[in-house]
Amino acid sequence: MERYDSMEPILEVRGLKKYFPVRRTWWGRTTSWLRAVDGVDLSIDARAKTLGIAGESGCGKTTLGRVILRLLPPTAGEIYFQGQDIVKLDDQALRRLRRDMQIVFQDPYSALDPRLTVRDIVAEPLRTHLHMDGKELDERVLALLREVGLDAGHLHRFPHEFSGGQRQRIVIARALALNPKFLVLDEPTSALDVSVQAQILNLLKELQARLGLSYLLISHDLSVVEHMSNEVAIMYLGKIVERGPAPEILSHPLHPYAQALLSAVPVPDPGQRGQEIILEGTVPSAVNPPAGCRFHPRCPFRMPVCQEQEPALADAGGGHWVACHLVYRT
């Protein structure tokens, strides 16, 4: 394994692509591809930091997270975790990597095996990867449950006996079992009641501070992204269109798509609410994306160049990157 320099980003993604075949000939030749992730660059520069990925449903956020974890093989691109290119790892090395990279799935109802008790669910990665057993295993499982706000009384119960928030705590405990350094949080609260969403988010922040975890947070809820993230990347139709420090992106978005997303976020004080930007049309197909800027068919500020030339991510100052011809010209 390559040596990790703590000054390097804990995660760095370069030119990452994931295409899915959607149409084949009689002879098995693929003639059409769904471009779920199409040339993404991003990084998490330090431990205990969170990068939030935001965008509409279907923009490729979840696929991006699963490719980064190598749950799906990339079509092209590089993924560096702690300085090591994990795209080139064989099965044995990838198995060892699983200890450091874990995921918290969106739906705690389907993420837990209904036939297993909580003890067996949390113990499974410990048995599989560390060959732990007996008293040591029981003590570790109980410690993990207490870490997420559960106790010994929950050990021998089944998933159907818990509320949604409790199930997500069990999912988090299982993800923490192997002392990972990096977690992908795939819409971790979207399947939960509003009353428990804040509890889970606060738990994740507490665990991050205590254990030094780095998060890749995937969410369509910008209020969740704002609460959790140090940096934010806005994704549209498989591409990152804007990224930078969270306070800057969320208070001064430059890309028209990011501006439209943020205009729809509810504001507690109606007097401070600005005018919501209603985008025309629907999200184009990722099988046949528009030429030039992929957002131009829905953009209220589109220019002829937007239909002809795809804008590259460029630094607008202060680490605020945006892919928009309009920004270049102002």
Side-chain angles (χ1 to χ4, degrees):
M1 180 177 292
E2 298 175 29
R3 184 175 179 179
Y4 172 58
D5 182 352
S6 61
M7 298 300 291
E8 296 179 354
I10 188 169
L11 175 73
E12 187 173 9
V13 172
R14 303 175 187 169
L16 191 62
K17 298 181 180 181
K18 179 59 182 177
Y19 296 173
F20 295 96
V22 294
R23 189 172 298 125
R24 298 179 185 271
T25 65
W26 287 104
W27 299 275
R29 179 171 172 268
T30 301
T31 59
S32 185
W33 299 87
L34 187 149
R35 303 180 181 187
V37 177
D38 199 9
V40 166
D41 299 318
L42 56 81
S43 66
I44 299 177
D45 294 330
R47 295 191 188 280
K49 299 295 183 182
T50 300
L51 171 64
I53 307 290
E56 294 171 291
S57 296
C59 71
K61 305 186 300 295
T62 292
T63 301
L64 174 62
R66 296 190 179 200
V67 173
I68 287 173
L69 290 178
R70 289 291 311 274
L71 297 177
L72 293 171
T75 302
E78 300 170 312
I79 307 168
Y80 290 90
F81 178 70
Q82 298 189 140
Q84 180 183 29
D85 186 358
I86 66 173
V87 172
K88 300 176 181 178
L89 296 183
D90 58 25
D91 290 344
Q92 185 175 2
L94 193 57
R95 182 184 177 88
R96 291 194 296 268
L97 181 73
R98 297 289 179 222
R99 303 181 187 184
D100 291 333
M101 305 174 75
Q102 291 289 318
I103 185 169
V104 174
F105 291 102
Q106 175 177 354
D107 183 7
Y109 297 89
S110 61
L112 301 174
D113 190 331
R115 301 166 297 179
L116 299 181
T117 64
V118 169
R119 177 191 177 278
D120 291 333
I121 288 170
V122 179
E124 187 173 16
L126 296 169
R127 288 196 184 104
T128 302
H129 289 270
L130 304 182
H131 308 292
M132 199 177 286
D133 204 355
K135 183 179 179 181
E136 182 185 16
L137 177 65
D138 290 335
E139 290 176 350
R140 176 60 177 157
V141 169
L142 182 56
L144 287 165
L145 290 183
R146 287 173 174 163
E147 192 89 70
V148 299
L150 301 175
D151 56 42
H154 299 106
L155 277 170
H156 301 292
R157 293 165 60 182
F158 291 88
H160 73 269
E161 300 179 72
F162 294 91
S163 67
Q166 288 174 319
R167 292 187 201 195
Q168 196 63 296
R169 289 174 187 268
I170 297 167
V171 171
I172 294 169
R174 181 178 60 186
L176 295 177
L178 300 174
N179 295 317
K181 300 178 178 68
F182 171 69
L183 291 181
V184 171
L185 308 176
D186 186 7
E187 301 273 11
T189 60
S190 65
L192 305 179
D193 293 337
V194 174
S195 59
V196 299
Q197 288 183 4
Q199 297 174 21
I200 297 300
L201 292 175
N202 288 335
L203 170 64
L204 289 167
K205 292 198 77 170
E206 291 168 8
L207 291 170
Q208 182 177 50
R210 189 159 64 245
L211 303 177
L213 299 168
S214 299
Y215 293 153
L216 179 72
L217 171 68
I218 296 166
S219 182
H220 66 275
D221 188 337
L222 285 169
S223 60
V224 170
V225 172
E226 181 178 17
H227 179 68
M228 294 288 293
S229 303
N230 304 102
E231 295 195 355
V232 173
I234 305 296
M235 196 166 182
Y236 183 79
L237 208 61
K239 289 186 173 290
I240 301 296
V241 297
E242 188 165 2
R243 63 178 171 88
E248 176 68 18
I249 297 289
L250 297 173
S251 60
H252 299 100
L254 297 178
H255 196 282
Y257 175 64
Q259 292 171 358
L261 283 182
L262 286 160
S263 74
V265 176
V267 177
D269 183 358
Q272 296 182 357
R273 183 175 177 83
Q275 184 177 358
E276 183 175 354
I277 301 172
I278 307 297
L279 296 175
E280 61 184 59
T282 58
V283 180
S285 170
V287 176
N288 187 25
C293 175
R294 295 190 174 186
F295 184 62
H296 86 258
R298 306 176 69 194
C299 182
F301 309 110
R302 59 182 174 266
M303 304 175 291
V305 67
C306 301
Q307 304 176 45
E308 302 166 0
Q309 183 179 339
E310 181 179 347
L313 273 173
D315 192 351
H320 189 158
W321 294 72
V322 61
C324 180
H325 292 296
L326 182 68
V327 175
Y328 300 162
R329 297 191 174 197
T330 57

